[in-house]
Amino acid sequence: DVKVTQSSRYLVKRTGEKVFLECVQDMDHENMFWYRQDPGLGLRLIYFSYDVKMKEKGDIPEGYSVSREKKERFSLILESASTNQTSMYLCASSRLTGQPQHFGDGTRLSIL
Amino acid sequence: SQKIEQNSEALNIQEGKTATLTCNYTNYSPAYLQWYRQDPGRGPVFLLLIRENEKEKRKERLKVTFDTTLKQSLFHITASQPADSATYLCAARAEYGNKLVFGAGTILRVKS
């Protein structure tokens, strides 16, 4: 079974801090994704990557950046955290484009 | 712009009945749709994928349909059980780019 592991289940940070969310998958998948999930809005794509060192902006990339130095690891960076970035963050991976995505259990991030 | 809409109201049904959830898409025709299940505090789990040239797909008690005329997918759970209670997410391939667009999800509650 594919396992997608997110480094923290809960995280509390202060406004202005630089925040790192880490995600690791163990099935050699090409594609990795970062979403945020807010009540009533569903999952919204922040960034995705289809290969090492490659990245593409999703629908809401402002205030975020990503890093994919190794195939199995995809990091989401909040450059200067703000309260409107309080949310549930979900990482996912898929073997190829168009195939089902496998999700981690999320990081609930609170920015105070 | 592309939009995926699911019933925002929770669906409450009695154990043993068939649950039917609706997913409507507007402004484009996706090449495929995917359905996911999400339990509280967990990431979504993939259930079924249906392509635009497929009318229907089945997996055990699950059935999904894709009506390109009505621009709608229906997700059915037959002989529903309390363990089927969860949020169900519909996702469609985006009009541009290799990514998914998610609906906000419908909460299903199955009462014994």
Side-chain angles (χ1 to χ4, degrees), chain B residues 51-66:
Chain B
R51 302 188 186 281
E52 61 181 338
N53 61 349
E54 297 173 315
K55 293 274 190 252
E56 182 180 295
K57 210 78 171 283
R58 291 176 186 262
K59 179 183 173 184
E60 297 171 355
R61 293 185 297 113
L62 308 180
K63 184 179 88 171
V64 63
T65 63
F66 195 166

Side-chain angles (χ1 to χ4, degrees), chain A residues 17-19 21 63-64 76-81 85 89 109:
Chain A
E17 280 193 70
K18 192 167 185 175
V19 181
L21 302 183
Y64 303 94
L76 179 69
I77 303 148
L78 285 66
E79 298 290 344
S80 177
Q85 292 178 310
Y89 288 87
L109 175 65

Side-chain angles (χ1 to χ4, degrees), chain A:
Chain A
D1 263 0
V2 176
K3 192 156 177 65
V4 178
T5 303
Q6 295 186 230
S7 54
S8 306
R9 291 299 304 273
Y10 301 94
L11 209 52
V12 179
K13 296 290 182 181
R14 299 223 171 263
T15 55
E17 280 193 70
K18 192 167 185 175
V19 181
F20 293 85
L21 302 183
E22 307 286 346
C23 175
V24 177
Q25 51 97 0
D26 66 357
M27 284 300 291
D28 202 36
H29 282 177
E30 303 293 327
N31 302 322
M32 296 189 75
F33 308 84
W34 274 107
Y35 296 89
R36 63 177 283 178
Q37 184 174 31
D38 300 288
L41 295 178
L43 275 74
R44 292 181 291 165
L45 183 64
I46 305 171
Y47 267 97
F48 64 105
S49 167
Y50 50 87
D51 201 354
V52 175
K53 296 193 188 293
M54 307 298 285
K55 61 185 179 186
E56 281 201 30
K57 292 180 181 179
D59 300 315
I60 51 165
E62 297 78 19
Y64 303 94
S65 63
V66 289
S67 171
R68 193 165 181 203
E69 296 295 318
K70 293 185 178 181
K71 193 174 186 180
E72 67 270 18
R73 187 180 296 270
F74 194 32
S75 303
L76 179 69
I77 303 148
L78 285 66
E79 298 290 344
S80 177
S82 63
T83 54
N84 63 11
Q85 292 178 310
T86 291
S87 186
M88 169 71 91
Y89 288 87
L90 288 159
C91 174
S93 71
S94 69
R95 180 167 299 284
L96 296 170
T97 299
Q99 294 191 339
Q101 294 185 13
H102 300 264
F103 285 82
D105 279 335
T107 295
R108 188 164 292 282
L109 175 65
S110 296
I111 307 295
L112 304 179

